[in-house]
Amino acid sequence: MTKIFDDPTKFADAAIDGLVAAHRNRLERVDGGVIRASEMKQNQVAVVIGGGSGHYPAFAGLVGPGLAAGSACGNLFASPSAGQIYRVAKTVATGGGVLLSYGNYAGDVLHFGQAEERLNAEGIETRTVVVTDDIASAPPERKHERRGIAGDLTVFKIAGAASEEGAALDDVVRLAQKANERTRSLGVAFDGCTLPGAESPLFHVPELSMSLGLGIHGEPGISEHQLPTSAELAQLLVDKLLAERPVEAGPRVVPIVNGLGTVKYEELFVLFGHVERLLIAAGLEVIEPECGELVTSLDMSGASLTLFWVDEELERLWIAPADTPAFRRGNPSTAPRRTFVSAKEHELTHEVASDASQQLGVQAAALLETAREIIARHEAELGDLDAIAGDGDHGIGMRRGIEAAVSAANALAGSRSVQDVLAAAGEAWSEKAGGTSGALWGSGIKAFGATLGNRESYTDADLARAVQAFRDAVITLGKTDLGDKTMVDALHPYAAAISEGITAGNPLAQVAEEASKIALNAASATADLRPKKGRARPLSEKSLGHQDPGAYSFALIVTGLAKQLAGSTLA
C-alpha cells in the first residue's frame, strides 16, 4: 500500500515535482510533463513518450540524451491529455519533426492521436509508433491490438539513440517500428497494487497462486496458476516468448527482467539467472541485458520478461550512450543546459454572447454540477466495476474530469455563450481526466456546445441536434460501434430516443426521462457482451455478467440530468 502522500488526487504531480527536484541537472518541469534539461541539436528529431503515472521509471525517468526528449505525464494509470502531449512536444521540437511513442492503450491512442493532428496542422511534422509487445493481450494474428508493457523501453531507446545520432524522422520511425516488431514480453503478478488513498488493492491473487499475463495498470492476468519455483517461472516465460520468436530474428537477443514494484532486485536476479541459462541452452547469444525496475505499477507484486531480438543496426543503437534519471549507459557527450519557453495553447477569441446563449450557459453549468454530484456518489462503485476486467480507475477518472469541467464552466457561466462555456468544460475534462473517458467526454461536450452555438433563441430541436453531435463525436473519436461494450451502447439508444421524442413533439422533461430509462436498460444489457475495445478486451470472460463502466456512468449521469431538466426548458 502507498503510504507517503498528502492529497491522493495530487500524488502524481507531487511525485513528478520531486523527481525533477532530485534530477535538476537532467530534467525540466514543463506544463504537461518533463523535458530533458540539456540542449538538443537544431533539426534533431524530438522523441516524445508518455503515459499514466505510477510506472516509474517509465515514463518521466527515461528522458534525457540518447532516449526521450520529453514525456507527457498523465495522472495515475491515466493517459496524459492531448493538450499535455501537444505542449510537451511543441516545447521540445527543434525543426526535425516529432515522434510520439507510447503503449497501446485506448486512452493513450485517443489523446496522442489528437495531439499528433494538432502538431501536424501547425506544420510540425509528427509521426507515431505504438508499442505492442505484450503477447498475453492478443493472439499473433491480432498483434496490432496488443498492449505495451516493459517492451516500451526497447522502442524508446532505439528511437532516442537514432535521434541522437542525427537520423531523419523517417529513419527514426522505421527503426522504432523495427524494434517494436522484434520485442515480445510476458508478465506475472503475485498480488495487485493499491492506489494512494485506496483501502484495498485493485485485485488480489489467491495465496500460493500466480496470475499470468497481467497489465501494468492493475488489470488482472488472463489466467491463474499454482505458484511456481523460480526455475519453473523462468521456463514458463522463456518457452512462451520463444514460441513467438519473430521470423526475421537471428541468434542475438536482449533479455529484460523487470520488477513491477514489490518484487525487488535479489529475486529478480534469481529469475534472470535461470532465464540466461535457458536462452544459452536454446543456442542464443545474450546481448547487453537489463535486470531491474524499468516499468512498474506502484506496489504491484510481479515481474515480466522481455526478449528483444537485435541485428547489427539495432544492437548498435541499444548499446549507444544514454543519460536519464533511470537509464544510463556509456558516456554521452555533455551538452549545455537548454533555455526554453514552455508551449502554450492558442488563446481563443470569443464573440459577445446573446442573452439566450448566456442563459443557456448558466443552465449547462448547473447540469454539469448535477453530473458532478452523481459521479461523487458513485465513484467507488464505478471503480469496483472497472476493476473486474480493467484497472479500476474509471470512478477516479470521471471524478477528476467532471470536477475540472464544473470549475471551468462556472468561471464563464453568466458572461459567455453556452458554446464557450461547454468548450472550456470539455477541454478541462479532457485535460484533467486523461484516459479514454476523458478524451470521449471532453470531445463530446465540446461538440455539444459547438452545435448549440451562440444563437438569439433555442428550441428543443436544438437540444436533439446537440445530443446527436455528442454521440457522433464519441463514436468518431473512439472508433466504436454498438455491441463493443462501451459507453456507446448506452449513448446511441439514448440519442435516438431524444431525437424521436422531440420530433414527436413530446415535452422535454418527458423525453429526457424516457431516454434516460432506455440508457439505463442499455447499460445493464452490456453485462451480456464481451468487450472489443479498451483494457477490458483481453479479459472478456471476466467482464461477462458485469455491465460496462462507461455505459453505466453515462446512464447514471443522464438519469440525474433528466430529473433536473424536469424544471428547465430550452426557450
Side-chain angles (χ1 to χ4, degrees), residues 540-559:
S540 60
E541 293 301 323
K542 290 187 178 182
S543 177
L544 273 176
H546 304 279
Q547 58 188 322
D548 176 69
Y552 181 48
S553 60
F554 174 81
L556 288 173
I557 288 173
V558 297
T559 299

Side-chain angles (χ1 to χ4, degrees), residues 205 208-212 223-228 236 240:
V205 176
L208 300 180
S209 297
M210 174 186 75
S211 186
L212 178 67
S223 60
E224 291 182 353
H225 305 260
Q226 183 178 354
L227 189 65
L236 172 67
K240 287 188 175 295

Side-chain angles (χ1 to χ4, degrees), residues 49-138:
I49 62 176
S53 297
H55 304 304
Y56 189 83
F59 298 89
L62 301 177
V63 172
L67 244 157
S71 172
C73 303
N75 216 310
L76 288 174
F77 296 174
S79 67
S81 70
Q84 289 178 286
I85 300 158
Y86 164 83
R87 293 191 297 274
V88 170
K90 191 168 182 180
T91 300
V92 297
T94 67
V98 172
L99 171 63
L100 303 177
S101 192
Y102 51 91
N104 187 29
Y105 297 89
D108 294 286
V109 171
L110 295 182
H111 286 287
F112 275 90
Q114 289 178 311
E116 180 180 8
E117 290 177 1
R118 292 173 65 179
L119 291 163
N120 279 314
E122 292 186 16
I124 302 173
E125 186 178 3
T126 303
R127 307 274 288 281
T128 290
V129 175
V130 180
V131 184
T132 56
D133 60 303
D134 178 22
I135 69 169
S137 52

Side-chain angles (χ1 to χ4, degrees), residues 129-281:
V129 175
V130 180
V131 184
T132 56
D133 60 303
D134 178 22
I135 69 169
S137 52
E141 63 271 17
R142 301 206 319 272
K143 62 182 181 181
H144 63 283
E145 297 178 1
R146 288 175 168 174
R147 304 176 293 206
I149 51 174
D152 284 353
L153 175 63
T154 68
V155 179
F156 299 165
K157 176 62 173 69
I158 296 305
S163 166
E164 206 70 36
E165 283 188 349
L169 180 59
D170 283 347
D171 211 30
V172 174
V173 170
R174 176 187 68 81
L175 288 161
Q177 290 172 335
K178 182 177 178 181
N180 184 56
E181 288 296 319
R182 288 167 169 255
T183 303
R184 305 284 190 273
S185 300
L186 181 62
V188 296
F190 310 114
D191 208 0
C193 57
T194 305
L195 295 171
E199 296 181 357
S200 59
L202 293 174
F203 68 93
H204 273 299
V205 176
E207 191 174 355
L208 300 180
S209 297
M210 174 186 75
S211 186
L212 178 67
L214 75 157
I216 61 169
H217 298 89
E219 308 98 318
I222 58 174
S223 60
E224 291 182 353
H225 305 260
Q226 183 178 354
L227 189 65
T229 65
S230 58
E232 291 169 341
L233 175 57
Q235 189 77 59
L236 172 67
L237 295 174
V238 169
D239 286 350
K240 287 188 175 295
L241 291 177
L242 290 185
E244 286 222 12
R245 180 176 176 174
V247 175
E248 67 277 11
R252 298 168 73 78
V253 64
V254 175
I256 301 172
V257 170
N258 173 59
L260 280 150
T262 301
V263 177
K264 290 301 181 181
Y265 284 83
E266 283 81 359
E267 291 177 277
L268 296 176
F269 293 147
V270 169
L271 179 60
F272 183 83
H274 292 301
V275 168
E276 185 195 40
R277 285 189 288 273
L278 290 169
L279 294 176
I280 292 173

